[in-house]
Amino acid sequence: MTAVLPDSYTVRPPAKEDAEAVFALAAAYNTGVVGFADFTLDDMINALTEPSFEPSTDGWLVWRLELL
């Protein structure tokens, strides 16, 4: 798949080092929807590092460059 994004964005596979940022975003969303985060930072780390997860094909992170 080829992503077509504005120049101010980039896309890349997730890494274990991204777990805290991804968790913060997902936890904030879940808290707004259901009132609490229904998983932990450790759960996110496990999801990003489990053997069946292949980052280059199973996940994508889109970052706004000026926020990096």
Side-chain angles (χ1 to χ4, degrees):
M1 179 176 117
T2 301
V4 179
L5 298 170
D7 291 340
S8 59
Y9 291 83
T10 186
V11 62
R12 64 175 175 77
K16 180 180 178 182
E17 297 76 28
D18 299 312
E20 193 169 335
V22 174
F23 170 74
L25 178 65
Y29 174 81
N30 285 358
T31 299
V33 173
V34 297
F36 59 94
D38 58 353
F39 59 96
T40 67
L41 176 57
D42 286 337
D43 293 333
M44 181 60 66
I45 293 169
N46 290 338
L48 292 175
T49 59
E50 70 178 44
S52 64
F53 179 72
E54 177 54 51
S56 65
T57 57
D58 295 341
W60 297 100
L61 294 178
V62 178
W63 296 98
R64 191 168 161 190
L65 294 176
E66 53 265 15
L67 296 178
L68 292 179

